[in-house]
Amino acid sequence: MPVQLPESDSEDELPPAWEERATSDGFVYYVNHQSKSTQWTHPRTGKMKRVSGELPIGWTRTIEENTRKVIFVEEKTQRKSYTDPRLAFAVEENPTQVGELRQRFDSGTNALQVLHGRDLSGKVALITGANTGIGFETARSLALHACEIIMACRDEQGTRAAIEKIVGEKEAAGFRCKFVPLDLASLHSTKRCAEEVKKLCKHIDMLILNAGVFALPHSLTEDGFERTFQVNHLSHFYLTNLLMDLFDLTTRVVVVSSESHRMSTLPASGLSESDLCPPQHRFWSMVAYNNSKLCNVLFAMELAKVSAPSYLHYLIFF
């Protein structure tokens, strides 16, 4: 029987057809495109919000000549928007108690918005798969906020090119980025990566397990494991354990997972190797991905349990 999924994991996520906007003086209001109506209160929480403070790095506020409306411009891309980028930081007006505060970020929030106002000088982040996609945007945003970045990737040429992009945006940020080879399809490469990282630093503030593969045909790694399972989960599990002596009370381990974990077919009990690494005649790439993402979730939960209160662990869903 199919499981009905919730509309969102975030209580603050807007329902379909709703949009969040802000007035020029910072008051947040909500637009319902179906009913063509507006209101001051959040349609889910019933709360009112307000934005304040400086714009995020790389954004400017100006007046559109023709309409005289306020527009926001992202300097790097020259993308224009009527939406105030500070909406990601809107806070509820006069919550009756701290427990009523809800998360400020949702699926529309980018990394620079999350880091707005942060000084990460002296911090070290190790990011797997940092040369493209989510990993690159994470590395770029952290580096622009003065964090030292270790980019653990398989493609050296692609990673060097990614670092050059960051250098082009802000020279000092690019110089904070270092490449370390990592092929997650090889446990030997994973071990060598950990050894190299230990030569570069004595402490890791953020370990961001981002790299992954999707929709690969059936194949085995040099270690004899199904490739999607090893790349997405097993080697990240191994890398984390190898680096644990670089962790302390302040370290954060971030596991990038997926909503696909909800569709996993792994049994609740009696888990076997054939469930994680099925033979070719039982293999389906989507199921392999779903199962690997559930492994990510379970790993993060168990890591937080056995390590608490040493350090905190988060799950990010995409």
Side-chain angles (χ1 to χ4, degrees):
M1 180 177 180
V3 178
Q4 184 176 1
L5 301 183
E7 289 185 20
S8 169
D9 282 333
S10 168
E11 193 176 13
D12 206 36
E13 188 98 5
L14 288 171
W18 285 86
E19 182 185 353
E20 193 174 45
R21 294 181 183 174
T23 63
S24 58
D25 53 356
F27 288 99
V28 178
Y29 65 99
Y30 301 90
V31 179
N32 186 327
H33 291 288
Q34 276 188 335
S35 63
K36 309 294 184 184
S37 61
T38 62
Q39 62 187 57
W40 293 110
T41 56
H42 191 288
R44 282 191 193 277
T45 68
K47 300 291 183 179
M48 298 178 68
K49 289 184 179 181
R50 193 171 187 179
V51 297
S52 60
E54 299 296 324
L55 289 170
I57 294 173
W59 285 84
T60 57
R61 181 180 182 273
T62 187
I63 304 295
E64 197 170 39
E65 290 185 10
N66 297 334
T67 65
R68 307 306 298 167
K69 291 183 178 179
V70 174
I71 60 171
F72 301 90
V73 182
E74 189 176 20
E75 295 172 353
K76 180 184 176 183
T77 62
Q78 288 300 300
R79 179 171 66 91
K80 297 179 181 180
S81 173
Y82 291 114
T83 303
D84 191 327
R86 295 174 300 168
L87 278 172
F89 306 96
V91 294
E92 292 175 356
E93 291 275 272
N94 301 319
T96 56
Q97 57 185 12
V98 175
E100 290 189 9
L101 286 171
R102 293 176 173 84
Q103 68 184 58
R104 301 178 183 182
F105 311 117
D106 58 23
S107 59
T109 308
N110 63 40
L112 282 177
Q113 289 173 314
V114 172
L115 293 170
H116 174 59
R118 302 283 183 179
D119 180 5
L120 300 179
S121 300
K123 301 291 186 182
V124 177
L126 169 60
I127 308 171
T128 66
N131 59 315
T132 61
I134 296 169
F136 173 72
E137 288 302 321
T138 302
R140 165 182 170 262
S141 302
L142 289 172
L144 289 173
H145 286 77
C147 186
E148 301 291 326
I149 309 296
I150 300 174
M151 304 173 78
C153 308
R154 181 182 57 180
D155 180 359
E156 180 173 359
Q157 183 177 354
T159 306
R160 301 289 184 196
I163 292 174
E164 285 303 311
K165 285 183 183 178
I166 298 173
V167 170
E169 189 168 355
K170 187 176 182 181
E171 191 173 44
F175 291 157
R176 297 188 190 103
C177 300
K178 298 180 178 67
F179 165 72
V180 173
L182 170 63
D183 182 357
L184 291 165
S186 165
L187 295 179
H188 179 63
S189 173
T190 304
K191 185 176 181 181
R192 282 188 315 194
C193 173
E195 292 169 350
E196 186 65 26
V197 169
K198 290 179 181 180
K199 294 176 185 177
L200 291 174
C201 60
K202 301 300 181 185
H203 174 255
I204 292 177
D205 295 278
M206 291 165 268
L207 174 60
I208 302 174
L209 307 176
N210 161 78
V213 293
F214 175 77
L216 295 183
H218 182 272
S219 66
L220 300 180
T221 67
E222 64 183 45
D223 303 294
F225 297 103
E226 191 278 314
R227 190 170 299 273
T228 299
F229 167 69
Q230 178 167 336
V231 171
N232 289 4
H233 168 66
L234 186 62
S235 290
H236 277 141
F237 171 88
Y238 186 41
L239 180 65
T240 303
N241 280 273
L242 291 171
L243 294 174
M244 275 192 172
D245 53 350
L246 301 185
F247 299 168
D248 66 10
L249 294 171
T250 65
T251 300
R252 300 292 183 264
V253 178
V254 179
V255 184
V256 180
S257 186
S258 167
E259 290 287 354
S260 291
H261 78 276
R262 300 177 185 275
M263 312 298 184
S264 171
T265 62
L266 293 178
S269 61
L271 189 64
S272 67
E273 184 178 343
S274 64
D275 292 312
L276 298 171
C277 301
Q280 187 166 5
H281 69 276
R282 285 182 47 212
F283 179 82
W284 183 21
S285 61
M286 192 67 228
V287 170
Y289 179 79
N290 297 346
N291 289 347
S292 72
K293 293 292 104 178
L294 179 60
C295 289
N296 289 159
V297 174
L298 297 176
F299 169 49
M301 292 177 67
E302 188 64 19
L303 187 61
K305 185 191 306 181
V306 300
S307 304
S310 297
Y311 41 85
L312 301 178
H313 309 273
Y314 299 93
L315 288 170
I316 299 180
F317 296 97
F318 290 98

